[in-house]
Amino acid sequence: MPIFDSKAPPNKNQALLVSVMEFYHGVPLAPRRGVKKDTKRLHKILSKLGFQVTIHNDLTAEEIRHVFKTASLEMGGTCFVGVLSSHGEEGLVFGADGNAVRLAEIFSWFGGPGTSETTKLFFVQACRGKELDDGVELQADSVSVSEEDSFSPCFSIPIDSAVMFATAPGYGAFLHPLGSVFLQTLCDLLEEEGGRSLEVTQLMTRLNYHVAHNFEAKGRELGGKKEMPCFVTRLTRQVFPFADRLKEPLPL
């Protein structure tokens, strides 16, 4: 369970990056090439933006639950960013042991009274269905699960939180050996002064636009296919988590 960076001081914004690239022997899930590219770039950019970044790779389902629950109890600063990247289905992501983690369970931990002053942002790189199959040059982060295990996590998103998914319900999310189009585009925007200075819902809208209009899958089977991220927000104020640290949240 690799962990990088120590516990953040109480007043420092925090980011938790959880990615699964390799699955246990016997688990029928393909390795996810490109995950390390996403993690490395996110770590570099978020650190420069003042976040204390913690990285966990190839955790089991139970370990994923543990690190997010622990993070919900130890949050500091004005913003928490959680990134979760794995194979998945609607409402679920999978640990390295092949067991499922319900996103609703993760989100629910961030609704306690101790988190009320902190903006919570989640970015989920995982498929939400089987609409797209594996391609030649690109890989889809999907796997089949039973219908009763698939449900929308949106009802569990706490107040003053926003969740952005790499793709719409029922569809696959693409992963390239050079990284996922979703997280790499997020990094592109955060490296641009005009992107990181945006209010967070404007940033997410711009991310939607860039992925929807600039990405097109290649390969014999998936050539021409597109990806459309989407986000759900329960924010009650405007926030600028990646901009000048002196900028305060504005009332709506």
Side-chain angles (χ1 to χ4, degrees):
M1 188 194 306
I3 303 175
F4 301 89
D5 292 356
S6 58
K7 184 177 178 180
N11 61 344
K12 194 174 182 68
N13 290 345
Q14 299 172 40
L16 175 62
L17 312 182
V18 177
S19 301
V20 181
M21 182 180 73
E22 299 284 349
F23 294 83
Y24 287 5
H25 179 72
V27 174
L29 296 174
R32 303 176 62 247
R33 299 173 299 160
V35 168
K36 288 184 178 180
K37 297 285 187 180
D38 288 343
T39 300
K40 183 177 181 180
R41 194 174 179 200
L42 282 167
H43 176 268
K44 180 180 179 181
I45 293 171
L46 290 172
S47 296
K48 285 184 176 180
L49 293 175
F51 284 78
Q52 185 82 10
V53 183
T54 302
I55 299 173
H56 295 268
N57 297 317
D58 297 345
L59 301 185
T60 65
E62 188 56 39
E63 289 170 339
I64 291 174
R65 294 186 188 94
H66 173 74
V67 297
F68 273 100
K69 189 169 186 178
T70 299
S72 72
L73 300 173
E74 297 179 349
M75 283 195 305
T78 60
C79 182
F80 169 83
V81 172
V83 178
L84 186 50
S85 176
S86 185
H87 283 299
E89 263 289 348
E90 176 59 24
L92 307 170
V93 294
F94 294 89
D97 57 352
N99 291 322
V101 179
R102 295 181 184 272
L103 294 175
E105 184 178 17
I106 290 177
F107 300 152
S108 68
W109 293 325
F110 291 82
T115 69
S116 59
E117 299 301 316
T118 303
T119 299
K120 286 79 64 177
L121 306 177
F122 299 92
F123 297 88
V124 182
Q125 166 61 36
C127 280
R128 304 177 71 186
K130 300 178 292 182
E131 191 68 20
L132 294 177
D133 297 326
D134 288 349
V136 175
E137 296 181 24
L138 290 168
Q139 175 183 345
D141 281 336
S142 68
V143 65
S144 177
V145 297
S146 58
E147 184 176 353
E148 59 266 24
D149 286 334
S150 298
F151 69 99
S152 174
C154 298
F155 296 113
S156 297
I157 297 174
I159 198 76
D160 287 318
S161 301
V163 179
M164 188 160 196
F165 299 93
T167 190
Y171 286 85
F174 291 103
L175 182 65
H176 189 277
L178 297 178
S180 65
V181 60
F182 173 59
L183 293 178
Q184 289 294 320
T185 304
L186 172 63
C187 290
D188 290 343
L189 292 174
L190 293 181
E191 285 184 333
E192 299 173 2
E193 185 175 353
R196 62 178 179 266
S197 63
L198 291 172
E199 192 274 331
V200 70
T201 57
Q202 294 177 320
L203 174 69
M204 291 178 170
T205 301
R206 185 169 295 186
L207 177 52
N208 276 355
Y209 176 86
H210 279 282
V211 174
H213 289 274
N214 298 334
F215 170 75
E216 185 174 291
K218 298 179 175 64
R220 184 179 305 170
E221 298 179 29
L222 298 179
K225 297 294 185 180
K226 307 286 285 186
E227 181 171 311
M228 181 67 236
C230 63
F231 62 90
V232 180
T233 175
R234 294 195 69 203
L235 296 174
T236 61
R237 54 182 180 261
Q238 294 181 337
V239 289
F240 301 80
F242 307 113
D244 188 338
R245 296 298 299 274
L246 296 178
K247 188 183 289 292
E248 296 293 332
L250 300 175
L252 291 175

